[in-house]
Amino acid sequence: MQFNRTKLTDPELVFMYRSIILPRMIEEKMLVLLRQGKISKWFSGIGQEAIAVGSTLALQKDEWIMPLHRNLGVFTTRQMGLEKLFKQWQGNKDGYSKGRERSFHFGSKPHYICGMISHLGPQLALADGVALAYKLRQENKVSLAYSGDGGTSEGDFHEALNVAAVWELPVIFVIENNGYGLSTPVNEQYRCESLVNKAKGYGMEGIRIDGNNILEVYDTIRGVRDYCINNQKPYLIECMTFRMRGHEEASGTKYVPQELFEEWGKKDPVKNYEQFLVTEGVLNEMQIADIRHEFKEYIEAELKAAFEAEAIVPNSEEELGDVYARKVNGQSSIVNIENQIHDSPFTIHEKRLIDALQDGLRQSLEQHENLVLMGQDIAEYGGAFKITEGFVEQFGKHRIRNTPLCESAIVGAALGLSLEGFKSVMEMQFADFVSVGFNQIVNNLAKIHYRWGQNADVVIRMPTGGGVGAGPFHSQSNEAWFTHVPGLKVVYPSNPQDAKGLMIAAINDPNPVMFFEHKALYRSVSGTVPDIYYETPIGKAIVSKAGTDITVITYGAGVHWALAYQEQHPDISLHILDLRTLLPLDYESIRNAVAITGKVLILHEDTLTGGMGGEVSAWISEHCFELLDAPVMRCASLDTPVPFNLDLEKNFMAKSRLDAYVNKLAAY
Ligand SMILES: Cc1ncc(C[n+]2csc(CCOP(=O)(O)OP(=O)(O)O)c2C)c(N)n1
């Protein structure tokens, strides 16, 4: 192995040695503890330390890194105290995730380290978002994300590199090509000659280097960092290395030919560098022994302290309390229209739902300089539904961003922006397409605050629903996919005033909000909308029409179906509750609405099985049993995909069975 010290001084070379030997020694200790049954799972980075350590040293301390499961060297090189790290791995309350996350799946904002999720690939797009934040602020910084050779086969790898190239983001993508993805050798993973060749396909530069040579890694990444900043472009680095242990310690290495261990054992990044320093006269054997002794004592002392930590006493209130981030700083000064409507100190205008949404977005962009909108065709074209028409002229293309066709990467980029304190609204062109961004939403955005205290300040706009003969993939109601995910908020306005106020509230909320907008209501529903910047509270239902015979609990288009039904059937008096927010549910308003009539019909456009109606019905049965005079009934759409033919679609829709359900309940 050829080492080139370039202009590095002796103390700098020694510092590098200390940086690379520490994670090696920690791991050696971990393997002993594992054999003693004192710790659980362990993913080893032995043999790959030069990559994590060299790249972390090459970055500034306040540049975000997205490490994976073999990157202990990132954590130690960012000077994280060992006691807290050990507590993290033991699942202790005083670790980085309050015992909620295993192994390396945690982050630390003060250290600019973003916690990985298990899925291989999603973190790459977060690096895009962080780099976008740097670019928008014109800061001279880069973000850096790792991928294994296996991870490069994930769609997220392709999406993240493509977005970084198209948006010219200063991101360094580092592939650790260690020969295997679990038991799968690289010849069963990809067909290109080398992974760095993929860079060309995205229109970016790339280089393949010896990942076991810490000086080569450090020097390359220093240079690449300058390139990314000066040219405002991403860069791909393929680091050749080898996984010297099993995928994780329990899984063994039987499938790896012994010769490979012998061959790569000779290329050990720690031993070779140590040898180089001795040959170079930078360190002698005594000094090396001293450093090793110092670290041994350090590790033992910190481990002892960690093992003495008290066991966790579970507290459900605290667990639930950490799922969502709390609002901070002066948000209470925003007008809550529902407290002030009677004073009417503001002007109002008649608006369609679509115009009200546009109002909410525009005023939010004026309010928050750090708010960015992203979506397919949302810039000059104004979006598929023209909601963002005119925004580019007012706010510029840097804030109103057209995206390539890659929902997963854009949701990930939104989370990356949030790491850097930006707010973002992403437009799904149709709610149906959320399925290809699903993982980022339900696993990254939703869980991040509970896992390590980082919020995801992201709103995802979901043009949803059917009724216009658009077929199975432009008509779905998929809100219930998300109401089952702790950490998300799910909002679904039915009228213009709520649409604007809830949009503003969603953007002000520090948590990820799924914002459903019924496409058929965009231009068919109008109402008065205050001109001022105001919030409609998330988590509050509203009585759309008071009545005495049957309570209809509904949302979205269902509200309009119920109102229209009432108009056509004056003999029966419906009490109509518009839920407006589906997660969290407003149980108090539900109870009050049940109490008024004792007969409850839950109505929604979504299909029956597993829909919101099931959840609301179960809650009413459990908590309002004494208030009921009839079984809770659900009127929902047929349990089929949404059909294209208009007659079939009409038959599919819950609306076509509303009359039957009302009569059934009335007669009960
Ligand atoms: C989406 C997804 N599929 C499968 C897995 C299971 N899994 C975890 S690590 C791994 C191998 C990863 O290989 P590679 O990306 O080369 O990284 P390495 O473990 O070699 O560092 C697999 C298959 C996972 N975590 N996520």
Side-chain angles (χ1 to χ4, degrees):
M1 199 175 288
Q2 287 295 313
F3 286 96
N4 178 358
R5 63 181 290 173
T6 57
K7 289 184 183 141
L8 291 167
T9 62
D10 283 4
E12 283 168 340
L13 291 173
V14 172
F15 184 72
M16 273 191 187
Y17 178 69
R18 294 173 65 88
S19 301
I20 197 169
I21 192 136
L22 180 59
R24 171 67 59 93
M25 290 185 67
I26 292 171
E27 282 223 40
E28 283 167 354
K29 182 70 191 177
M30 285 297 147
L31 298 183
V32 174
L33 293 176
L34 203 67
R35 281 194 287 277
Q36 294 171 347
K38 290 190 180 156
I39 55 165
S40 61
K41 249 183 161 52
W42 188 258
F43 292 87
S44 173
I46 286 182
Q48 301 182 214
E49 296 97 334
I51 302 168
V53 174
S55 50
T56 305
L57 286 173
L59 259 56
Q60 297 298 307
K61 286 197 174 75
D62 59 354
E63 291 173 319
W64 281 93
I65 298 185
M66 321 287 153
L68 295 180
H69 48 292
R70 300 195 199 283
N71 295 132
L72 170 60
V74 171
F75 299 88
T76 51
T77 307
R78 282 267 159 105
Q79 312 289 332
M80 290 170 115
L82 290 195
E83 181 181 333
K84 193 164 174 169
L85 277 178
F86 290 138
K87 284 178 172 168
Q88 168 62 31
W89 296 321
Q90 284 164 12
N92 190 269
K93 192 172 174 57
D94 298 326
Y96 285 92
S97 66
K98 298 191 183 176
R100 294 166 186 165
E101 261 295 11
R102 67 181 213 174
S103 60
F104 294 100
H105 299 56
F106 65 95
S108 168
K109 208 167 175 157
H111 296 93
Y112 295 88
I113 290 176
C114 179
M116 68 178 287
I117 63 170
S118 288
H119 307 66
L120 307 158
Q123 303 308 102
L124 297 159
L126 271 59
D128 286 355
V130 167
L132 176 59
Y134 295 156
K135 191 180 185 83
L136 291 173
R137 288 207 209 97
Q138 298 184 348
E139 287 177 298
N140 287 332
K141 286 184 179 178
V142 296
S143 59
L144 185 148
Y146 301 96
S147 170
D149 41 277
T152 64
S153 301
E154 292 281 346
D156 276 314
F157 176 85
H158 160 72
E159 290 195 12
L161 267 70
N162 188 53
V163 169
V166 173
W167 285 1
E168 301 187 322
L169 303 174
V171 189
I172 304 177
F173 297 106
V174 176
I175 300 172
E176 296 191 55
N177 191 340
N178 65 4
Y180 285 84
L182 212 159
S183 74
T184 306
V186 287
N187 63 4
E188 291 184 41
Q189 194 69 250
Y190 56 86
R191 268 292 160 272
C192 46
E193 212 168 282
S194 70
L195 286 170
V196 74
N197 286 352
K198 295 197 178 207
K200 267 202 187 71
Y202 299 109
M204 72 172 77
E205 296 291 324
I207 190 171
R208 186 186 225 195
I209 61 171
D210 179 356
N212 281 19
N213 181 330
I214 188 166
L215 295 187
E216 190 170 332
V217 173
Y218 174 77
D219 193 49
T220 304
I221 295 190
R222 289 263 302 200
V224 165
R225 180 179 175 274
D226 288 345
Y227 165 92
C228 292
I229 289 171
N230 294 335
N231 297 282
Q232 287 297 292
K233 281 192 174 154
Y235 202 99
L236 181 66
I237 303 174
E238 182 182 11
C239 295
M240 302 311 290
T241 184
F242 195 70
R243 199 191 69 203
M244 293 299 287
R245 302 199 61 86
H247 168 64
E248 48 94 20
E249 283 309 312
S251 64
T253 55
K254 266 196 195 132
Y255 48 85
V256 182
Q258 190 54 33
E259 312 87 80
L260 286 177
F261 287 116
E262 282 155 22
E263 180 191 331
W264 281 91
K266 290 182 200 139
K267 300 184 199 167
D268 184 282
V270 179
K271 277 193 212 137
N272 277 283
Y273 183 54
E274 193 177 280
Q275 192 53 50
F276 162 74
L277 295 180
V278 173
T279 315
E280 191 82 356
V282 177
L283 282 177
N284 60 36
E285 298 295 344
M286 273 268 278
Q287 288 166 316
I288 288 170
D290 283 350
I291 292 172
R292 281 181 174 271
H293 181 70
E294 176 195 332
F295 281 156
K296 187 169 184 302
E297 296 213 320
Y298 172 45
I299 291 167
E300 293 294 345
E302 300 280 299
L303 250 183
K304 185 163 179 288
F307 274 126
E308 280 165 5
E310 280 172 32
I312 283 186
V313 181
N315 174 343
S316 301
E317 211 172 298
E318 188 184 346
E319 293 306 295
L320 291 168
D322 280 350
V323 173
Y324 294 99
R326 287 170 195 81
K327 270 191 182 178
V328 279
N329 66 41
Q331 296 286 6
S332 55
S333 60
I334 295 164
V335 177
N336 173 342
I337 208 86
E338 266 139 46
N339 298 337
Q340 304 217 353
I341 199 102
H342 302 300
D343 306 336
S344 292
F346 37 74
T347 55
I348 54 173
H349 279 94
E350 182 83 2
K351 285 196 170 131
R352 299 174 302 175
L353 189 107
I354 195 163
D355 305 320
L357 285 167
Q358 191 178 52
D359 246 24
L361 284 169
R362 182 184 294 107
Q363 290 183 356
S364 296
L365 281 157
E366 286 163 353
Q367 195 76 19
H368 302 287
E369 277 181 10
N370 64 342
L371 173 62
V372 174
L373 267 50
M374 301 184 283
Q376 289 151 23
D377 310 292
I378 69 161
E380 293 86 349
Y381 186 70
F385 299 98
K386 302 293 172 198
I387 291 182
T388 53
E389 198 157 48
F391 280 18
V392 171
E393 289 76 7
Q394 191 179 348
F395 303 105
K397 271 202 90 164
H398 60 296
R399 292 181 69 193
I400 313 299
R401 306 186 71 86
N402 274 343
T403 72
L405 276 167
C406 50
E407 287 74 6
S408 183
I410 300 305
V411 178
L415 181 51
L417 281 169
S418 186
L419 294 180
E420 269 295 302
F422 276 79
K423 286 178 173 290
S424 60
V425 175
M426 184 218 172
E427 176 177 308
M428 282 291 161
Q429 200 156 68
F430 285 81
D432 309 65
F433 305 142
V434 77
S435 47
V436 286
F438 194 70
N439 183 46
Q440 290 283 26
I441 296 171
V442 303
N443 283 321
N444 232 342
L445 270 59
K447 296 180 174 55
I448 197 166
H449 190 264
Y450 176 75
R451 293 169 58 234
W452 57 279
Q454 167 65 48
N455 71 312
D457 201 341
V458 179
V459 176
I460 300 187
R461 291 186 39 233
M462 301 279 282
T464 189
V468 291
F473 304 112
H474 289 78
S475 308
Q476 287 174 82
S477 296
N478 50 21
E479 62 274 12
W481 294 357
F482 302 98
T483 50
H484 188 59
V485 183
L488 297 178
K489 294 191 179 182
V490 180
V491 170
Y492 200 149
S494 70
N495 62 65
Q497 180 176 311
D498 289 350
K500 174 175 172 181
L502 281 169
M503 177 62 76
I504 290 171
I507 291 169
N508 284 328
D509 197 298
N511 295 286
V513 181
M514 303 301 292
F515 196 99
F516 285 83
E517 307 164 3
H518 200 298
K519 305 190 293 280
L521 303 185
Y522 274 154
R523 292 176 167 81
S524 66
V525 168
S526 296
T528 53
V529 179
D531 293 329
I532 51 159
Y533 175 75
Y534 67 91
E535 281 194 7
T536 299
I538 291 176
K540 285 258 165 264
I542 195 165
V543 176
S544 299
K545 189 217 149 263
T548 51
D549 297 334
I550 291 174
T551 294
V552 179
I553 299 178
T554 186
Y555 56 92
V559 175
H560 300 281
W561 295 343
L563 288 170
Y565 185 89
Q566 177 67 93
E567 259 189 29
Q568 290 154 11
H569 299 84
D571 298 350
I572 191 146
S573 172
L574 301 182
H575 184 80
I576 304 170
L577 183 71
D578 178 357
L579 289 172
R580 299 197 292 190
T581 299
L582 305 181
L583 185 66
L585 273 172
D586 180 357
Y587 293 114
E588 196 187 335
S589 294
I590 292 174
R591 174 190 286 280
N592 292 341
V594 174
I596 285 171
T597 69
K599 290 186 174 181
V600 179
L601 178 63
I602 304 163
L603 171 66
H604 56 60
E605 183 176 322
D606 193 5
T607 51
L608 181 76
T609 308
M612 266 318 284
E615 182 60 34
V616 176
S617 168
W619 188 86
I620 292 172
S621 304
E622 189 176 342
H623 298 277
C624 311
F625 189 68
E626 298 79 11
L627 300 173
L628 292 171
D629 294 326
V632 178
M633 292 191 189
R634 290 173 295 157
C635 178
S637 294
L638 285 185
D639 278 337
T640 69
V642 189
F644 163 65
N645 176 288
L646 277 176
D647 290 331
L648 283 179
E649 190 184 28
K650 197 169 163 205
N651 178 61
F652 161 87
M653 285 286 173
K655 187 184 177 190
S656 63
R657 283 173 291 284
L658 180 55
D659 185 47
Y661 272 100
V662 171
N663 289 333
K664 208 159 138 187
L665 257 186
Y668 194 87

